[in-house]
Amino acid sequence: MTAEPVTFTTYEALIAIMRERRIELGLSQLAVDEIAGLASGYQGKIEASLTNPTARNARSIGRESQPLLLRALKGKLAFIPDDLAACKTGYLPSDDNRLIAEYQKKRRDKMAKAARSKWAKMSPKQRAAHIRKMNLARAAKHRKEKAATKRTRQAVEVVT
């Protein structure tokens, strides 16, 4: 049985979702700590922040503990931009590639529009300087890639 994706907008909602998931899996707070490899009582301190955030023992999820806790709860955290029309109607895991493609197309279009606007504001002299700069960068990149390929070939020849 696969669970439906759950969205949240506040930290407290994330903690509540994690608590519900823990209960759904039939795990105690200590079991989650053990599976995640965290100090005993860590999950309890995080959940304590729901009822009394100012309590002395209340903790927030740390940068290192977040992926460990999510793995223990068999969950993932995803960022879904609001500007995607498909996300406003609901997020479906099967739509991942389509949503990513739509978002990337919007970003490319936005960047192309900004580039055209910038180009239109340049004088002919500035445009020529810009083209020279881009050509030099492209040539430097090509030289760097060629040198890396040559080093790889030499390393392969030494090994064989």
Side-chain angles (χ1 to χ4, degrees):
M1 176 175 149
T2 58
E4 290 295 316
V6 181
T7 58
F8 58 92
T9 55
T10 64
Y11 177 76
E12 291 77 20
L14 170 63
I15 301 302
I17 290 166
M18 290 175 67
R19 181 178 186 275
E20 290 170 14
R21 178 67 176 160
R22 176 183 62 77
I23 292 168
E24 182 182 302
L25 292 172
L27 298 171
S28 67
Q29 293 173 340
L30 294 174
V32 171
D33 293 335
E34 189 175 319
I35 293 168
L38 297 170
S40 193
Y42 191 79
Q43 180 68 22
K45 292 174 183 176
I46 291 171
E47 289 181 16
S49 68
L50 280 177
T51 54
N52 188 2
T54 59
R56 282 184 50 196
N57 68 334
R59 297 284 183 262
S60 59
I61 300 174
R63 179 175 54 182
E64 291 84 15
S65 62
Q66 179 188 16
L68 299 173
L69 287 170
L70 288 172
R71 191 174 321 125
L73 295 171
K74 297 180 176 131
K76 293 186 181 196
L77 192 62
F79 174 78
I80 305 169
D82 273 342
D83 62 345
L84 288 176
C87 290
K88 292 179 182 171
T89 60
Y91 172 75
L92 300 172
S94 60
D95 290 345
D96 277 351
N97 293 334
R98 184 180 57 80
L99 294 176
I100 291 168
E102 284 179 21
Y103 182 73
Q104 287 174 341
K105 183 179 183 326
K106 283 184 181 181
R107 292 286 299 152
R108 277 194 308 271
D109 292 347
K110 189 174 181 180
M111 291 175 72
K113 183 178 178 182
R116 284 191 303 270
S117 172
K118 184 178 178 182
W119 188 262
K121 294 175 185 175
M122 287 183 183
S123 69
K125 189 176 182 179
Q126 289 173 320
R127 287 180 185 169
H130 182 73
I131 291 170
R132 273 193 304 279
K133 182 179 172 184
M134 293 297 103
N135 285 338
L136 288 172
R138 192 177 299 118
K141 182 180 176 184
H142 177 72
R143 283 192 301 273
K144 186 176 177 181
E145 289 172 355
K146 192 173 179 180
T149 304
K150 185 177 180 181
R151 282 192 303 271
T152 304
R153 270 196 223 124
Q154 288 171 347
V156 169
E157 288 173 2
V158 169
V159 172
T160 56

